[in-house]
Amino acid sequence: MARSALCYRGLPYDHSHDASPSPAPIDHVYRGHHYDAPLRHEPSPVDEALDFVYRGTHYHHHHA
C-alpha cells in the first residue's frame, strides 16, 4: 500500500520516514481497557453474511 502525500493546514509534508507500529506486543491502556498486544495487527476477515446496524442504519459488506 503506497502512502499518499499529506497536507497539514495547507503545507505538504513527507511522512515516508515515519516508523510503522511494531508487531511486538506492548503493554498499553486504551479507553480504560488494559491490553498486552501489538499496536499493529492484520485486519479480521470479513463475514459477508453479517449485517451491521449503527444508529438505526443497516450496513452490509459489499465488494468495492
Side-chain angles (χ1 to χ4, degrees):
M1 174 182 235
R3 293 187 177 199
S4 60
L6 296 178
C7 187
Y8 179 73
R9 295 189 177 196
L11 300 172
Y13 64 94
D14 178 23
H15 64 104
S16 60
H17 63 279
D18 294 348
S20 295
S22 170
I26 296 174
D27 185 30
H28 62 284
V29 176
Y30 178 71
R31 293 189 176 185
H33 295 279
H34 180 263
Y35 297 92
D36 187 18
L39 298 178
R40 185 180 79 200
H41 57 85
E42 295 301 318
S44 300
V46 174
D47 182 358
E48 294 185 12
L50 183 66
D51 283 325
F52 177 68
V53 180
Y54 179 70
R55 295 187 176 181
T57 303
H58 292 262
Y59 297 89
H60 186 75
H61 175 77
H62 57 83
H63 295 286

